Amino acid sequence: QVQLVESGGGSVQAGGSLRLSCVASGYSYCMAWFRQAPGKEREGVAYLTGGGTPYYSNSVKGRFAVSRDSAKNTLYLQMNSLKPEDTSMYYCAANRGGYCRLIGADFGYWGQGTQVTVSS
C-alpha cells in the first residue's frame, strides 16, 4: 500500500511559479502528476519513471519540471510561467510496477489533490 500526500498548491498570478510536493509512504516505481478542472476530463501532466526519465504533456512542456528525491520519498512538480488554463486540482499518482504512461489506469495509488489557481 502506498499513501500519497500532496502539498504546495495555492493562488498565483499568470506568469508566476509554484512547486508541488507529493510525499509517498512506501515504495513506488513510477510517479506522476495529473490534473482535473471542474467539468473537464482528468489530464496527465508529467511522470517520472523508476529510472528517472521524465515525460511531459505538450501543454506543460518547457514550463513544468518533474523531479524526485528518493531519500525523502518525495515527488516534485516545479511549475513556471503559469497560465490561467493551468488552474486545476493537481493529483499525485504512483504505481509499483507495470506501465508508466500518462494514463490514469496505469496508477493504483492516488493522493487527495492540491488546488492550483492562476489568475490573469
Side-chain angles (χ1 to χ4, degrees):
Q1 190 79 349
V2 180
Q3 292 185 332
L4 304 171
V5 179
E6 303 101 330
S7 62
S11 297
V12 295
Q13 290 192 326
S17 297
L18 281 174
R19 188 177 82 154
L20 305 183
S21 299
C22 170
V23 180
S25 65
Y27 167 79
S28 56
Y29 169 67
C30 179
M31 297 186 74
W33 290 98
F34 287 78
R35 65 187 182 186
Q36 187 167 22
K40 294 189 176 181
E41 291 188 358
R42 182 172 58 194
E43 175 191 8
V45 175
Y47 69 73
L48 201 60
T49 68
T53 302
Y55 180 86
Y56 303 94
S57 68
N58 288 334
S59 60
V60 306
K61 195 176 297 183
R63 300 188 298 122
F64 291 10
V66 62
S67 62
R68 185 171 182 173
D69 185 334
S70 296
K72 295 181 179 179
N73 252 2
T74 302
L75 182 75
Y76 301 100
L77 185 68
Q78 178 66 44
M79 305 185 295
N80 299 323
S81 303
L82 283 161
K83 305 175 181 179
E85 51 264 44
D86 294 318
T87 295
S88 196
M89 184 72 81
Y90 283 72
Y91 297 92
C92 177
N95 68 24
R96 289 190 156 182
Y99 289 109
C100 188
R101 302 170 295 187
L102 283 181
I103 299 174
D106 285 358
F107 299 90
Y109 304 99
W110 294 83
Q112 82 289 349
T114 185
Q115 178 68 37
V116 171
T117 302
V118 185
S119 58
S120 57

